[in-house]
Structures are given as structure tokens and as C-alpha cells.
Amino acid sequence: MTTELSREALRRQRSTPRMPQPGASKRPKHVGLHLVAVLAAVFFLGSWWAQQTVLSEQTAKTTLTTPTVVATVQSELNSGLTQYGLTNLITATDTKAVLRQLITEVYQDQPLALDLSAVTERASRRADNALSVYGVQVPTELTAGVAGTVNTAVNAQLNTSELKTVQQNLQVAKQVASVTLVVSGLLVVLGTVREFFNHALGRYLAVVGLVSGSLLWLLTWLLQSQAATFNFSAAIANSLMTAVVNQVVTTGWQLGGWAVGLGALALVGRWLWRLWRHR
């Protein structure tokens, strides 16, 4: 009798579904690691993106001294001088030199002091030549006054309070981008090393590359769609901003493409490896 009861109890025990133990159904550890790695990769790519575009002095000089930008700035500067009877005074070479100097001073946090000597000398010579035809000797005070007028007019269009604000914010942005780049890059590298020793590097690179690259593409698309709202009253500011935004957008698509490409290669490589192992 006792044996039969014991067998019956054993059968019931076997047929009764076991309750899951506390903590037995945890999510895989790699999910959290991948989430951290994706966020770190996005910050890393974003910092690199900024350093290669708006935070790069050399990129700014290349972007803001293209023939299209120079022609617009030159036209606006000459337009501002016509009210003083000075037409076509500033050349494309003058404009390019002034823009390069302005960019250097802004990025290196130097006092904004434009060197317009070439332009003012040309203005003085014009005033001198115009009156010397009639045998009039131009006083030095008059030519100096013309030079001062040119300086004031050009500085009013380029050396603005908004530019000084940009200069101040640029220095802060450089520091933030540098720190973010180092910290986020370190997190990505640590995750890469860990997954390498866990024999899951292919999956790690695939997830991080595909997701972070896609998120960067999303950010680039949002910036591009909002570019039309960046409108300034001054034509020079609009021309410079358009050139900068176009450069940033182009670089954003490229960086996102590299990340997605890396993720796709890792995914294909992982699939080929598994296929080779199970053949």
C-alpha cells in the first residue's frame, strides 16, 4: 500500500509542471552590452562627425572659401560699399584672404581683427587717382578717411556680435567633443575585446554597426530636413550657413554608410563562418 502511494505521488510529481525559479528567466547578458555599445558608438560617431566638420578649422577653410561662397560674400561686401561711391573695390582674392583670416581667428580663439590693408590701400589709390586727374593733390587725411570707411563697412558685415558668440561656443564644443570621443571610443573598444574573448565578435560588430549607422543616418536626415529653417537676415550669413550644413550632411551620410557597411560585413562574415562550421 505504501509502495503504491509512493509511486502515485511520484507520478503526480513528475506530471506537475515545475515553477520557474526566481531569476531563472533573465534576458541574455549580451542585450545590455549591445545597448551600451550602440549608444557609445552613436556618441563616438557624432563626436567624430562634429570634429571633421564644424569643429575643424581646415574643413571650414575649405568649405567657406569655395568659388560659390566667395562670389556671394564678395558681392555683398561690394554692395555695402556702393553707398560710399566705391564700386567693385573688393576682389575675389581679397574676399578669400579675409575669410581665411576670419576662420583662423575664430577657431584659434584670437581677437577678431580683420586685415583689410590691401583693400584700403586700393581705395586710397582710387581716391587719389580720381582727383589727381584734375591736378588736385589729395590730403592724407582724406585717403585715411576713405580707408576708415572701408574698414567700418566691411567689419559691420563680417565682424559681428553673432560671430563672437559662435567663437565662444566653438571652444566649449571642441572640449565636449574631445571628451565624448575618448570616453565613448573606450567603451566601444572594451565591448569589442570582451565579445572577442566570448567568441561573439561578429554578432557584436553587426549589431553595433548596423544600428548605430542607421541612427546616424536618421540624425543626418533630420538635420537635412531642418536646414531650410536656418535663415538669417544677412545674405553673407545665409551663404556661409548653407555651405556648412551641406558639408555636415554629406559627412553624416558617409559616416553612417561606413558604420552600416562594417555591420553588414560582420553579419555576412558571421553567416559564412557558421555555414563553414556546419557543412
Side-chain angles (χ1 to χ4, degrees):
M1 185 68 177
T2 303
T3 304
E4 291 179 0
L5 287 175
S6 299
R7 289 177 178 175
E8 183 64 25
L10 184 60
R11 279 196 297 268
R12 280 199 300 264
Q13 197 176 38
R14 288 176 177 176
S15 61
T16 303
R18 294 184 178 181
M19 298 298 292
Q21 297 295 323
S25 58
K26 290 183 179 179
R27 290 182 298 174
K29 292 181 179 180
H30 67 262
V31 173
L33 175 64
H34 287 174
L35 178 60
V36 172
V38 166
L39 291 176
V42 170
F43 279 104
F44 178 83
L45 291 173
S47 302
W48 181 268
W49 186 16
Q51 288 191 339
Q52 296 303 307
T53 52
V54 293
L55 300 182
S56 169
E57 179 182 342
Q58 187 55 49
T59 300
K61 287 181 178 179
T62 302
T63 303
L64 301 180
T65 56
T66 59
T68 302
V69 176
V70 168
T72 301
V73 175
Q74 178 190 0
S75 175
E76 289 300 314
L77 292 179
N78 278 322
S79 177
L81 293 173
T82 55
Q83 58 182 316
Y84 304 106
L86 301 170
T87 58
N88 299 323
L89 178 66
I90 300 177
T91 66
T93 302
D94 296 330
T95 306
K96 192 171 184 177
V98 168
L99 285 174
R100 289 182 67 86
Q101 180 194 354
L102 195 65
I103 292 168
T104 297
E105 292 172 348
V106 167
Y107 276 83
Q108 296 185 10
D109 199 21
Q110 298 174 355
L112 300 178
L114 299 179
D115 180 15
L116 300 171
S117 56
V119 179
T120 55
E121 287 174 8
R122 191 180 302 115
S124 299
R125 286 197 301 270
R126 282 194 182 185
D128 194 5
N129 294 336
L131 292 178
S132 63
V133 174
Y134 304 99
V136 178
Q137 185 175 2
V138 182
T140 305
E141 293 79 6
L142 179 58
T143 56
V146 173
T149 298
V150 172
N151 263 306
T152 301
V154 173
N155 274 280
Q157 290 179 279
L158 291 178
N159 192 354
T160 62
S161 59
E162 289 82 2
L163 184 62
K164 293 176 182 177
T165 301
V166 169
Q167 183 182 35
Q168 295 171 355
N169 293 335
L170 193 63
Q171 308 313 314
V172 176
K174 282 183 179 182
Q175 296 175 2
V176 172
S178 297
V179 173
T180 303
L181 189 71
V182 172
V183 174
S184 58
L186 184 60
L187 289 175
V188 173
V189 170
L190 289 176
T192 302
V193 172
R194 173 175 174 173
E195 290 300 89
F196 173 78
F197 286 108
N198 287 338
H199 307 288
L201 183 61
R203 179 181 61 194
Y204 174 84
L205 292 178
V207 172
V208 173
L210 290 172
V211 177
S212 63
S214 299
L215 289 175
L216 194 66
W217 272 346
L218 177 61
L219 292 174
T220 303
W221 176 79
L222 290 174
L223 175 62
Q224 190 173 27
S225 63
Q226 292 297 314
T229 63
F230 303 150
N231 189 31
F232 298 90
S233 57
I236 290 179
N238 272 327
S239 178
L240 298 179
M241 178 58 69
T242 299
V244 169
V245 170
N246 289 340
Q247 174 64 30
V248 171
V249 167
T250 300
T251 305
W253 287 121
Q254 291 174 348
L255 280 178
W258 293 342
V260 169
L262 175 63
L265 285 175
L267 188 64
V268 172
R270 182 169 180 262
W271 176 76
L272 291 176
W273 172 252
R274 295 179 66 180
L275 187 65
W276 181 81
R277 288 185 61 188
H278 293 87
R279 65 178 180 174

